[in-house]
Amino acid sequence: VNFIFTSTSDFNIQVVLFVLLLIMQGYTTLGLYKLIFTLIDSEFYEFEFSQIVPKLRMVFSYITISLVFAVIVTTYNMFVIDIWLKEFPMVQRGANVLGALILMYLALRFMFCICFIVDDDSGPFESLQQSFELTKGNLTKIILILLISIGLIAVGFIALFVGIILTYPLVNIILVVTYRKLIYSHQDVDDDIAETN
């Protein structure tokens, strides 16, 4: 994003490049999730390329969720932190901490929305609601998974680019497997039996 906004000063070009970046990110992220689900669900681990290409509706849902969160965070930072609380540095610091805590809580509750978009073909707000319901009563497990994921990402950054190539897919595999375990536990289904059917 920084590269896009510093590469040109033309606002229209920046908007077009930003939208293209979002579309590209949507296709790559959702494609990875579709690949993981396909490999989990495929009996002989065979698949065709068409099975891992996300539908346009899925990409639209992904972009919508990304933009909603971007607008919320940007609005909070611009209006609440930078304008309304500009005169009160102590309150501003407290509002920053509060905003970060709320954002972390929302990230925990909505972390499976992409899984629902790919696995259930849910719309943007439906997937957020489903993720919120799925994480209810499971926050301790999810925090543990999140800490493991953050640890793997940190290791990836320490190992620079090569580490990220390995840890990014691994973190997403962990999220998908956790999602499936939670789905099966909510349905009272033995996931070993369900995965072999």
Side-chain angles (χ1 to χ4, degrees):
V1 172
N2 283 338
F3 171 74
I4 285 172
F5 284 102
T6 55
S7 61
T8 178
S9 58
D10 188 326
F11 179 74
N12 293 328
I13 294 174
Q14 287 179 349
V15 169
V16 170
L17 290 173
F18 181 71
V19 170
L20 290 174
L21 179 70
L22 272 179
I23 292 169
M24 187 178 72
Q25 185 179 356
Y27 270 105
T28 54
T29 302
L30 295 169
L32 175 62
Y33 273 71
K34 279 189 69 90
L35 174 63
I36 296 167
F37 277 115
T38 302
L39 291 175
I40 287 174
D41 296 337
S42 177
E43 191 174 345
F44 300 107
Y45 300 106
E46 295 176 0
F47 61 91
E48 295 177 9
F49 182 72
S50 60
Q51 289 177 274
I52 63 168
V53 177
K55 299 175 189 170
L56 193 58
R57 170 187 154 92
M58 293 177 179
V59 176
F60 173 77
S61 296
Y62 177 86
I63 290 172
T64 301
I65 290 170
S66 300
L67 289 176
V68 164
F69 275 97
V71 166
I72 290 170
V73 170
T74 304
T75 303
Y76 183 78
N77 280 330
M78 282 178 62
F79 292 102
V80 176
I81 304 294
D82 295 338
I83 295 175
W84 294 347
L85 299 177
K86 188 179 180 181
E87 308 283 323
F88 312 100
M90 291 293 289
V91 179
Q92 197 177 42
R93 278 193 287 274
N96 269 327
V97 171
L98 179 64
L101 290 174
I102 291 170
L103 192 62
M104 285 171 58
Y105 174 76
L106 291 176
L108 283 172
R109 296 307 299 268
F110 296 139
M111 70 188 301
F112 297 112
C113 66
I114 297 174
C115 294
F116 279 107
I117 289 171
V118 173
D119 192 38
D120 206 32
D121 201 16
S122 300
F125 301 108
E126 181 188 10
S127 68
L128 291 172
Q129 182 182 0
Q130 288 170 314
S131 180
F132 198 83
E133 288 297 319
L134 185 65
T135 54
K136 191 188 302 181
N138 291 303
L139 279 181
T140 313
K141 295 175 192 173
I142 291 165
I143 288 170
L144 180 63
I145 294 296
L146 189 66
L147 290 174
I148 291 169
S149 300
I150 290 170
L152 287 170
I153 291 168
V155 168
F157 272 113
I158 291 168
L160 297 177
F161 188 68
V162 176
I164 292 295
I165 289 173
L166 297 175
T167 57
Y168 180 74
L170 183 59
V171 165
N172 287 293
I173 290 168
I174 291 169
L175 286 177
V176 169
V177 170
T178 304
Y179 158 82
R180 275 291 167 84
K181 293 278 185 189
L182 290 173
I183 287 287
Y184 291 138
S185 70
H186 273 253
Q187 296 173 347
D188 292 326
V189 175
D190 184 355
D191 56 337
D192 292 330
I193 294 169
E195 285 176 13
T196 56
N197 289 339

